[in-house]
Amino acid sequence: MGTPSAGQIHRLGRDQLASWVDALLGERKRVFAPVLRRGLRVLRAVERAQDVDFAPGRTRWSPKEFLFPRTETLFSYENRDGVPVLADPPADDVPRILFGVQPCDAAGLVRLDSILLQDPFYARRRELTTVVAIACSEAAPECFCTAVGGSPAGQEGVDVLLAPLETGWVVRALSPKGEALLAPRRGGWETAAAGDWEAALEQAGRVAGSIGRRELPAAWAEKLEQSFADPIWDELARRCVGCSICAYVCPSCSCFDVADEGSDACGSRCRTWDSCSFRLFTQHGSGHNPRATQPARSRQRVLHKFAFYPLQHGGRAMCVGCGRCIRSCPVGMDIHAEVVEVMSGRPEKEAGDVQR
Amino acid sequence: MSSAETAAGPARAAAGTAGPLESPLKPRLMRIVEAWDETPDVRSLRLQPVDDGPPVRWLPGQFGEFSVFGAGEAVFTMANSPSRGEFVECGFRALGKVTWALRDLAVGQVIGYRGPYGNSFPVDSWRGKDLVFIGGGIGTVALRAPLQWVLDHRGDFGEIVVLNGARSVADLCYQKEMPAWAEVPGVHVVRTVDPGGETPGWDGEVGLLPAVFERLGLAPGGRIVVTCGPPVMLHYLFQSLEKLKFPPEDVVTTLENKMKCGLGLCGRCNVGRLFVCVDGPVFTWARMQTLPRDY
Ligand SMILES: Cc1cc2nc3c(=O)[nH]c(=O)nc-3n(C[C@H](O)[C@H](O)[C@H](O)COP(=O)(O)OP(=O)(O)OC[C@H]3O[C@@H](n4cnc5c(N)ncnc54)[C@H](O)[C@@H]3O)c2cc1C
Ligand code: SF4
Ligand code: SF4
Ligand code: FES
């Protein structure tokens, strides 16, 4: 990516940001943005800019469901005189914008790409999606993007980056898709002042500095892989109850199940989010289960993300440090702490008493 | 989805210029042209495409996803060699949702098939060598394709021993076919059942498969062992092979991790850095030893 010239950075007032969103909606683009629903911050298709919550902070769920739906029909079938007739699902060709997601979530989509781009349904939606991320102006206690190569102003997977200034925003396209999104607007926007962009980056640097968690270097992957048979896993993961909420909130978890919904007369074959923390995920029809215990399943989640995947994908973890799994776990499992503990060979007995 | 909606075809809500896409998980329709029981709970099917598209192609050891609409998909090895006609055969044990539904279907009915997936048995590298096929229970189904291949290219291979075992006489697969295998020159078929599983007229061996294998007194020396069976059988068989000093590179088996997609997408069959559906299911014992024990 070449460094865009200063002319390509613009400064927006609050109202201008809102009217941009309204203009996109007017062009019949689908805009998914953070909104507050009964006290929860979630991503939803919005109908007007007024509904968008531009405050910093993660959404309860990651944006992955807009590219990789929780459940999706692969095809429908109908039994006609004893012969099944299959039909493809209707095409969904509306361009969509993920507006105001966090940079870590944009990076999460790049992780999904590495697996799911082979799937035409995902690939079509991905092609139709433009990602407008907002640089984080604060980090939550569970955040650790900086530990896995990200940053509060991370650019990976981002088409347009918005960053808050003391008053208003700077906006910059980072990809041809982002350029295309901004091009029609530029005429009405003020060019950023010298130093605006740097000021935004400095702010992101301060946020990065507030993240206390240590780096999880890519070089750990091989040693982690070798920890497979280490009894430390039994201690570390004893608390996990196997609810799998960690995988469901995760922007980079991509496992799915395939099952039929319906009867033998008609129905559809669906793909649904799944998780390696469930016992049935690997249990054979015969009853044999390679991952018979919850610690074995918990280990799979950590090692897939921090050992197996990076060893096959140029050292990048299949985790972007969004912290959602830590925030949502009912028993306080902490994937960052688990990695550190395995590497140091020292399980901590108390959830809150972890050397970070 | 209501049946009225299905009959009319799915509503084209947001149809654009690019049109609908086809999922790689969408199966081809196959008609059951023959079906027979191997044992009280193992059934074989012979299938032919409903359409007149190209014939189904596969290599010995590859597998497919077979589906009953409304019940779902199940993974089976193609049980016949591609050198045997234009049909696909599978053999399955009825033990759950899909396999029960499949068992209830009759000749003429239509199921889904997609594949072939995975790697295959390295039959070319076996040329000129002696072979031992060791199948336990339903595991023998996975050995039938490479065995048929070898029998169909008999001149390319050395001495062939087939060791087919089961819990009891009734549970032994391919009883009708074994005599024909044994008639091929240089092919030696040994049938065995677990102690207590024999019937009064039983004229085969009695004993656990690994023990019976040891009794055969086969020396390693360039002999390839091809085996498939339940995890516990493989565990003891590997102990026997180790004792007899068979080199791990000369022992080939299949892993049967649970699978959903067959394409390396769904994550289900992950073992360490590999996905069994793409990198397997055929592994040498040597390669298995490099994997974490996650199978
Ligand atoms: C490479 C490979 C090759 C294989 N080859 C063969 C072969 O040649 N022959 C053979 O017999 N087997 C073979 N197997 C094993 C075979 O795939 C399984 O035995 C088969 O998939 C079992 O399917 P099932 O639906 O009948 O069983 P189930 O155990 O019922 O499982 C199927 C799925 O349905 C779900 N399910 C089942 N029942 C219920 C329920 N009541 N409620 C909710 N969910 C339910 C399960 O959670 C599971 O996800 C092979 C496996 C692999 C990986
Ligand atoms: S780690 Fe926590 S959130 Fe994940 S499955 Fe275990 S208990 Fe549930
Ligand atoms: S593993 Fe946890 S911290 Fe990492 S990306 Fe997934 S939800 Fe976020
Ligand atoms: S079966 Fe889906 S990844 Fe192997």
Side-chain angles (χ1 to χ4, degrees), chain A residues 237 239-247 275 277-278 294 298 301 325 328-334 338:
Chain A
R239 276 174 296 144
C240 173
V241 294
C243 67
S244 289
I245 190 67
C246 48
S275 163
S277 300
F278 289 132
Q294 198 57 41
S298 205
R301 183 158 194 274
C325 56
S328 302
C329 178
V331 295
M333 296 289 289
D334 182 325
E338 280 184 87

Side-chain angles (χ1 to χ4, degrees), chain B residues 9-50:
Chain B
R12 288 281 148 84
T17 45
L21 296 168
E22 187 167 86
S23 169
L25 275 57
K26 186 172 150 189
R28 187 173 182 184
L29 298 180
M30 306 281 274
R31 194 178 300 280
I32 302 173
V33 294
E34 242 181 286
W36 63 97
D37 288 321
E38 301 289 353
T39 76
D41 63 357
V42 177
R43 193 165 168 80
S44 288
L45 302 177
R46 176 175 285 182
L47 307 161
Q48 231 170 7
V50 168

